């Protein structure tokens, strides 16, 4: 559980940045940002669910009536106002905004805010400039506290157990969705809030799609299968990918796996504080480029991870963000040969004072099953 004192710390940092950037208030809607600052988690809703964080006043929730008690119970924020289905939210928000004297200022909004809710803001508040919360909250969220690292560690354990279970069940005749269901059951039954993203079981030629949608395909002899999954613990995510081969596989698959594995090792060995995120991507990409497979490595080397499965820092060639101890991100090079197969290897690491440490000890070698 995130403790009250942690929220206070997060708020202090947030208010400092608001001051520096002349931001008058933050309008948080359901998102990782909302959870990070308030402790309230909910999926985006069609009803407006809002937390207003004015620079000089205490934060205030404005939530649908049916969430009133829940929010009072879960959040450290005491001021909770409810609006019912039969009242007009635009008028009500207009009144609250007048009360808080929110006008002629810069307001930060959640990046994923629904357009229909943005229109309510536009109708209720006048003379304001809107910016995205990611423009400044990312700086705070990127470096994880010891507690946050523990949450990711726990989430990684769930994912590791799930991966272990499905690999032992993986054989000719099984269907992709059966293995995905088993993985998600394994995570849930251990106490995870659920998968951190849709579990990927990509078998045979489906493995050439990095984000294959797990389907009804039956696993066959000679298949290369990519398992990519993650669990949540206290709403912090984990993420792990392994490639499994069934029966007799071609030497080409083995050769490509070896290449991906070298790119992974090269990236990992370069991670340390002070180096740029972009240089990690370049290190991995160089190995694959030089072997002539650069055009088949069709995504960035990794992504930050925390409450969001994909967040800053992105391990992308042009990202000049300097790595710092406490940052957590994935290293996941892959090679995808269209219509044939794909191979990926992924672990999440935390940057330490001298290098980095993966969250899992799951073997990184290619896995062979009969
Ligand atoms: Mn990933």
């Amino acid at each position: 559980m995130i403790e009250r004192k942690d929220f206070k710390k997060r708020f202090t940092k947030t208010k400092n940045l608001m001051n520096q950037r002349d931001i008058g208030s933050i309008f948080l809607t359901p998102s990782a940002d909302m959870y990070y600052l308030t402790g309230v988690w909910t999926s985006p809703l069609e009803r407006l669910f809002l937390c207003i964080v004015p620079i000089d006043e205490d934060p205030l929730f404005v939530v649908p009536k049916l969430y009133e008690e829940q929010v009072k119970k879960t959040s450290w924020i005491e001021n909770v106002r409810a609006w019912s289905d039969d009242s007009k939210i635009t008028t009500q928000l207009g009144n609250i905004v007048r009360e808080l004297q929110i006008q002629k200022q810069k307001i930060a909004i959640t990046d994923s805010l629904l357009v229909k809710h943005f229109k309510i803001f536009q109708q209720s508040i006048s003379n304001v400039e809107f910016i995205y919360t990611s423009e400044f909250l990312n700086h705070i969220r990127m470096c994880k506290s010891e507690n946050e690292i523990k949450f990711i560690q726990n989430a990684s354990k769930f994912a590791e157990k799930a991966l272990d279970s499905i690999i032992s069940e993986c054989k000719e005749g099984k269907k992709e969705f059966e293995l995905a269901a088993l993985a998600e059951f394994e995570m849930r039954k251990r106490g995870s809030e659920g998968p951190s993203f849709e579990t990927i079981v990509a078998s045979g030629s489906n493995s050439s799609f990095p984000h294959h949608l797990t389907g009804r395909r039956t696993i066959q002899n000679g298949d290369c299968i990519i398992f990519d999954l993650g669990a949540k613990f206290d709403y912090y995510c984990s993420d792990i990918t392994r490639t499994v081969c069934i029966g007799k596989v071609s030497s080409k698959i083995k050769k490509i796996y070896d290449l991906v594995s070298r790119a992974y090792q090269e990236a990992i060995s370069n991670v340390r504080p002070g180096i740029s995120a972009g240089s990690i991507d370049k290190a991995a990409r160089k190995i694959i480029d030089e072997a002539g497979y650069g055009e088949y490595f069709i995504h960035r080397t990794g992504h930050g991870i925390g409450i969001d499965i994909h967040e800053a820092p992105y391990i992308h060639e042009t990202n000049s963000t300097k790595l710092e101890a406490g940052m957590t991100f994935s290293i996941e090079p892959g090679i995808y040969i269209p219509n044939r197969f794909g191979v990926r290897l992924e672990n999440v690491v935390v940057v330490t004072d001298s290098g980095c440490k993966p969250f899992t000890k799951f073997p990184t070698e290619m896995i062979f099953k009969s």
Side-chain angles (χ1 to χ4, degrees):
M1 282 280 285
I2 306 164
E3 290 167 34
R4 205 186 169 90
K5 65 173 192 331
D6 295 324
F7 286 118
K8 294 276 180 196
K9 267 190 220 160
R10 294 173 182 186
F11 248 75
T12 309
K13 286 186 199 164
T14 304
K15 293 257 170 132
N16 283 342
L17 284 181
M18 287 172 78
N19 259 318
Q20 279 171 29
R21 291 166 187 241
D22 198 25
I23 297 163
S25 15
I26 311 177
F27 278 38
L28 293 169
T29 40
S31 56
D33 285 337
M34 176 180 268
Y35 181 70
Y36 186 79
L37 290 175
T38 72
V40 172
W41 179 270
T42 172
S43 311
L45 303 159
E46 83 284 8
R47 294 180 175 103
L48 182 66
F49 190 116
L50 176 67
C51 180
I52 303 177
V53 183
I55 181 116
D56 296 323
E57 307 268 346
D58 289 333
L60 160 83
F61 265 107
V62 183
V63 301
K65 182 82 183 154
L66 71 164
Y67 282 93
E68 187 180 8
E69 287 310 310
Q70 202 177 332
V71 171
K72 279 182 180 164
K73 226 172 167 176
T74 27
S75 184
W76 65 277
I77 293 170
E78 280 149 20
N79 202 347
V80 180
R81 306 234 192 134
W83 62 276
S84 61
D85 286 343
D86 49 16
S87 66
K88 203 161 186 300
I89 180 63
T90 314
T91 318
Q92 216 165 325
L93 184 61
N95 292 338
I96 293 170
V97 160
R98 257 189 304 283
E99 193 187 310
L100 295 170
Q101 298 185 327
I102 294 175
Q103 56 178 338
K104 293 184 189 153
Q105 56 171 233
K106 214 189 270 178
I107 296 181
I109 50 171
T110 303
D111 293 39
S112 56
L113 174 69
L114 291 178
V115 174
K116 63 183 246 173
H117 293 156
F118 183 61
K119 285 192 171 170
I120 295 176
F121 293 173
Q122 285 180 314
Q123 283 160 14
S124 324
I125 324 159
S126 49
N127 287 319
V128 289
E129 180 199 341
F130 292 102
I131 63 154
Y132 290 125
T133 49
S134 61
E135 289 174 33
F136 64 106
L137 282 183
N138 278 359
H139 296 280
I140 309 176
R141 280 177 46 197
M142 258 192 305
C143 281
K144 272 66 180 177
S145 68
E146 263 175 50
N147 260 343
E148 289 178 293
I149 290 169
K150 271 185 209 146
F151 300 153
I152 299 173
Q153 184 69 64
N154 287 342
S156 302
K157 282 212 180 83
F158 292 153
E160 209 175 342
K161 298 270 189 201
L163 185 62
D164 200 36
S165 300
I166 55 175
I167 289 174
S168 48
E169 283 300 308
C170 180
K171 54 176 181 254
E172 222 183 322
K174 286 274 179 187
K175 293 191 183 295
E176 290 180 353
F177 67 80
E178 288 180 286
L179 295 169
L182 175 64
E184 291 178 13
F185 174 72
E186 290 293 331
M187 298 189 274
R188 267 286 192 187
K189 85 170 183 198
R190 291 187 162 79
S192 167
E193 286 91 14
S196 50
F197 58 94
E198 282 187 53
T199 303
I200 299 173
V201 178
S203 65
S205 62
N206 289 340
S207 60
S208 70
F209 304 140
H211 282 176
H212 167 64
L213 291 174
T214 302
R216 300 188 186 94
R217 188 180 178 279
T218 304
I219 287 162
Q220 296 161 19
N221 190 30
D223 271 2
C224 189
I225 310 169
I226 293 179
F227 291 110
D228 185 353
L229 54 94
K232 283 187 186 185
F233 180 90
D234 271 355
Y235 297 99
Y236 278 77
C237 299
S238 59
D239 197 356
I240 186 168
T241 304
R242 290 296 182 271
T243 303
V244 175
C245 283
I246 302 292
K248 209 172 153 40
V249 292
S250 70
S251 57
K252 178 150 185 191
I253 294 182
K254 289 181 197 163
K255 187 182 134 198
I256 288 195
Y257 191 86
D258 180 55
L259 188 54
V260 167
S261 174
R262 280 201 288 131
Y264 167 86
Q265 298 299 348
E266 182 65 15
I268 292 267
S269 65
N270 272 280
V271 175
R272 60 182 172 275
I275 199 168
S276 73
S279 65
I280 303 302
D281 181 84
K282 282 183 196 147
R285 205 164 295 280
K286 188 163 177 266
I287 301 275
I288 294 177
D289 276 344
E290 283 177 356
Y293 286 93
E295 64 176 304
Y296 302 112
F297 180 17
I298 50 179
H299 54 71
R300 60 195 174 209
T301 296
H303 53 85
I305 186 167
I307 307 168
D308 274 322
I309 180 68
H310 289 177
E311 59 178 49
Y314 293 98
I315 311 303
H316 179 269
E317 220 167 354
T318 59
N319 187 355
S320 58
T321 303
K322 294 272 185 282
L323 300 184
E324 290 174 46
M327 284 182 175
T328 47
F329 49 82
S330 71
I331 298 290
E332 50 178 309
I335 292 178
Y336 311 90
I337 315 289
N339 301 314
R340 296 193 55 199
F341 66 90
V343 161
R344 180 164 68 251
L345 169 62
E346 171 185 35
N347 270 336
V348 172
V349 301
V350 54
V351 181
T352 61
D353 290 333
S354 55
C356 74
K357 189 174 162 283
F359 278 95
T360 154
K361 291 194 169 72
F362 207 96
T364 53
E365 291 82 28
M366 186 165 218
I367 299 154
F368 294 96
K369 290 269 307 186
S370 50

mmCIF file of all heavy atoms in Angstrom, residues 228 239 303 310 330 332 346, ligand 1:
data_model
loop_
_atom_site.group_PDB
_atom_site.id
_atom_site.type_symbol
_atom_site.label_atom_id
_atom_site.label_comp_id
_atom_site.label_asym_id
_atom_site.label_seq_id
_atom_site.Cartn_x
_atom_site.Cartn_y
_atom_site.Cartn_z
ATOM 1 N N ASP A 228 4.296 -12.956 -23.873
ATOM 2 C CA ASP A 228 4.586 -11.625 -23.330
ATOM 3 C C ASP A 228 3.457 -11.303 -22.360
ATOM 4 O O ASP A 228 2.290 -11.237 -22.752
ATOM 5 C CB ASP A 228 4.639 -10.603 -24.481
ATOM 6 C CG ASP A 228 5.065 -9.215 -24.016
ATOM 7 O OD1 ASP A 228 5.194 -8.996 -22.797
ATOM 8 O OD2 ASP A 228 5.257 -8.341 -24.889
ATOM 9 N N ASP A 239 6.338 -6.882 -16.584
ATOM 10 C CA ASP A 239 6.339 -7.170 -18.011
ATOM 11 C C ASP A 239 7.493 -8.122 -18.302
ATOM 12 O O ASP A 239 8.632 -7.837 -17.913
ATOM 13 C CB ASP A 239 6.541 -5.828 -18.752
ATOM 14 C CG ASP A 239 6.165 -5.880 -20.220
ATOM 15 O OD1 ASP A 239 5.807 -6.966 -20.712
ATOM 16 O OD2 ASP A 239 6.248 -4.824 -20.875
ATOM 17 N N HIS A 303 10.646 0.411 -22.769
ATOM 18 C CA HIS A 303 9.763 1.477 -22.286
ATOM 19 C C HIS A 303 9.822 1.522 -20.773
ATOM 20 O O HIS A 303 10.020 0.475 -20.126
ATOM 21 C CB HIS A 303 8.321 1.198 -22.728
ATOM 22 C CG HIS A 303 7.830 -0.181 -22.351
ATOM 23 N ND1 HIS A 303 7.285 -0.447 -21.112
ATOM 24 C CD2 HIS A 303 7.855 -1.363 -23.013
ATOM 25 C CE1 HIS A 303 6.972 -1.749 -21.059
ATOM 26 N NE2 HIS A 303 7.320 -2.327 -22.184
ATOM 27 N N HIS A 310 3.330 1.302 -20.146
ATOM 28 C CA HIS A 310 4.284 2.045 -20.983
ATOM 29 C C HIS A 310 4.320 3.479 -20.467
ATOM 30 O O HIS A 310 3.296 4.158 -20.482
ATOM 31 C CB HIS A 310 3.845 2.079 -22.452
ATOM 32 C CG HIS A 310 3.964 0.759 -23.149
ATOM 33 N ND1 HIS A 310 3.565 0.577 -24.437
ATOM 34 C CD2 HIS A 310 4.450 -0.434 -22.740
ATOM 35 C CE1 HIS A 310 3.787 -0.692 -24.799
ATOM 36 N NE2 HIS A 310 4.320 -1.323 -23.780
ATOM 37 N N SER A 330 11.867 -1.559 -19.471
ATOM 38 C CA SER A 330 12.090 -2.857 -20.093
ATOM 39 C C SER A 330 13.232 -2.758 -21.091
ATOM 40 O O SER A 330 13.507 -1.691 -21.646
ATOM 41 C CB SER A 330 10.826 -3.317 -20.820
ATOM 42 O OG SER A 330 10.607 -2.530 -21.975
ATOM 43 N N GLU A 332 13.846 -4.993 -24.417
ATOM 44 C CA GLU A 332 13.144 -6.043 -25.140
ATOM 45 C C GLU A 332 13.362 -6.023 -26.649
ATOM 46 O O GLU A 332 12.443 -5.781 -27.427
ATOM 47 C CB GLU A 332 11.642 -5.996 -24.835
ATOM 48 C CG GLU A 332 10.994 -4.635 -24.983
ATOM 49 C CD GLU A 332 9.485 -4.708 -24.710
ATOM 50 O OE1 GLU A 332 8.809 -5.562 -25.299
ATOM 51 O OE2 GLU A 332 9.001 -3.889 -23.914
ATOM 52 N N GLU A 346 12.588 -10.235 -23.168
ATOM 53 C CA GLU A 346 12.347 -9.013 -22.390
ATOM 54 C C GLU A 346 12.443 -9.228 -20.887
ATOM 55 O O GLU A 346 11.891 -10.184 -20.347
ATOM 56 C CB GLU A 346 10.927 -8.490 -22.678
ATOM 57 C CG GLU A 346 10.500 -7.340 -21.746
ATOM 58 C CD GLU A 346 9.053 -6.885 -21.934
ATOM 59 O OE1 GLU A 346 8.193 -7.741 -22.213
ATOM 60 O OE2 GLU A 346 8.805 -5.681 -21.797
HETATM 61 MN MN1 LIG B 1 7.208 -4.570 -22.663
#
